[in-house]
Amino acid sequence: HGFLQTDIQMIHALGSEILREAAKSLNVPVSTLVVAQSLFHFFYGRKSFLEYDIRDTLMGCMYLACKSE
């Protein structure tokens, strides 16, 4: 059981929007946001949305981006 391509695109767009809002709230630089979004897209390009909770993944991506920048 998988997702349609349009569903995947919508989930990626939603994840990016949530990261944008988090970056704004946390007052982090745009470069950190870009790293977080890249990590998010990279991760879900290889793993299933069904296998890993998107909220945990988003928080992890933002955390790692903040630590790397």
Side-chain angles (χ1 to χ4, degrees):
H1 303 320
F3 290 101
L4 297 174
Q5 187 62 32
T6 54
D7 294 334
I8 293 171
Q9 290 171 341
M10 285 177 39
I11 294 169
H12 276 276
L14 175 63
S16 290
E17 179 60 29
I18 291 169
L19 286 170
R20 268 193 296 277
E21 291 177 19
K24 185 178 178 182
S25 295
L26 296 169
N27 200 27
V28 298
V30 174
S31 60
T32 303
L33 169 61
V34 171
V35 170
Q37 289 175 327
S38 297
L39 290 169
F40 174 74
H41 295 304
F42 180 83
F43 181 80
Y44 279 120
R46 286 154 181 75
K47 301 295 180 182
S48 170
F49 288 107
L50 297 173
E51 199 173 338
Y52 296 94
D53 185 78
I54 192 169
R55 294 168 296 187
D56 294 338
T57 305
L58 288 167
M59 287 188 289
C61 291
M62 183 58 76
Y63 175 78
L64 288 173
C66 289
K67 295 299 279 184
S68 71
E69 292 289 307

